[in-house]
Amino acid sequence: MRALLVVNPKATTTSERSRDVLVRALRSQVELSVEYTLKRGHATALARKAAESGVDVVVTLGGDGTINEAVNGLMTADPGLTSRGTSPAYRLPALAVVPGGSTNVFARALGLPRDWVEGTGVILDGLRSGRHRVIGLGRADDRYFTFTAGVGLDAAVTRRVEQARLRGRTSTPALYLRSLISQVISGEDRKAPPLSIERPGEEPETNLGTVIIQNTAPWTYVGDRPINPNPQASFDRGLDVLALRSLGVASTTRTVTQMTSRRADPHGRNVLRLHDQDEFTVVAARPQAFQLDGDYLGERQKVHFLSVPEALRVIC
């Protein structure tokens, strides 16, 4: 079995020594190549090349951003060079993820341990036994995502956090909370909610302040606590949506409190929830912040979302 290990050398919870231990462990099970990412987007190119060369498994060591890039590389590989069967999930290499980021939402949503050593053990066992899971993905225009996307408030918070990290701050739950409070208090888009959701055969949902899309639950974590805007979201179904009709301080605080409770069930006149959606488009009256899998990707005025069922095999 041939495998490629894609390493983000800036992964926050690993060291050079731990990476060496991981490489030795994987080489005990597979014929392994190792590549280090050099810049944003590099993992996409590495995973795509691996898929087109016939590699059986792509392993990532990094955070959710590294995983997202690798998934996009796999999903955009030339189908003429991959011939492992008829199902899309079996035409491509399997994906294995070793948690190396600060939050590791995707790995934890799959039930993998937070600790990279324990996660490696699960992957090695899965490789030995051939155990895997086939999951669905989301797609936003031409880019795939594994667990979440957002247009509006949550993406603007992501932008604030990334800007703080560039100034040397550490990514912590407290930093996200402060960024959320600052974004809400700033009052942007509070008076004239700019977003709409358009679905085939349905009346548009208009005057929305922010839109959160989930491909699984939870949406994210604050420490050990899962945050669940859409508790029913699943890798095995379509996309789930939570939108807020207003970004007023009181109403937004109420919804955030509902999302963070142990029995999350956001509701009320300010909340729109859509379950198991195959396809929809988010349209903005003016450019809005946009994120996929926790990475800020700039501003958009229109994004087409699609559920892609049974898209990828994951070692778990």
Side-chain angles (χ1 to χ4, degrees), residues 126-139:
L127 291 172
R128 283 191 293 266
S129 64
R131 187 179 63 243
H132 65 268
R133 176 182 177 182
V134 177
I135 65 169
L137 297 172
R139 196 174 78 195

Side-chain angles (χ1 to χ4, degrees), residues 135-209:
I135 65 169
L137 297 172
R139 196 174 78 195
D141 290 339
D142 58 353
R143 182 157 176 168
Y144 293 86
F145 60 96
T146 62
F147 66 93
T148 190
V151 183
L153 176 62
D154 82 308
V157 171
T158 300
R159 177 176 57 197
R160 283 179 179 263
V161 170
E162 290 193 4
Q163 290 170 344
R165 293 180 66 182
L166 289 174
R167 296 193 298 268
R169 302 289 297 278
T170 301
S171 178
T172 63
L175 176 59
Y176 275 92
L177 178 60
R178 287 194 297 270
S179 300
L180 172 62
I181 293 171
S182 298
Q183 188 66 34
V184 172
I185 291 176
S186 71
E188 296 179 26
D189 299 319
R190 189 184 300 169
K191 293 183 179 180
L195 298 171
S196 300
I197 297 176
E198 299 176 355
R199 294 178 289 163
E202 301 285 346
E203 289 294 319
E205 298 284 354
T206 60
N207 299 318
L208 304 173

Side-chain angles (χ1 to χ4, degrees), residues 16 37 57 88 142 152 171 173 185 198 204 216 220 272 276 302 304:
E16 184 175 355
T37 59
V57 181
D142 58 353
S171 178
I185 291 176
E198 299 176 355
T216 190
T220 189
L272 168 69
D276 195 15
K302 186 176 183 179
H304 180 240

Side-chain angles (χ1 to χ4, degrees), residues 1 4 10-11 19 62 68 78 92 105 168 179 185 204 224 233 236 242 255 264 276:
M1 180 183 293
L4 170 69
K10 296 182 180 179
R19 291 193 291 267
N68 178 278
D78 184 348
L92 297 169
V105 178
S179 300
I185 291 176
D224 291 328
D236 301 321
L242 179 139
T255 303
D276 195 15

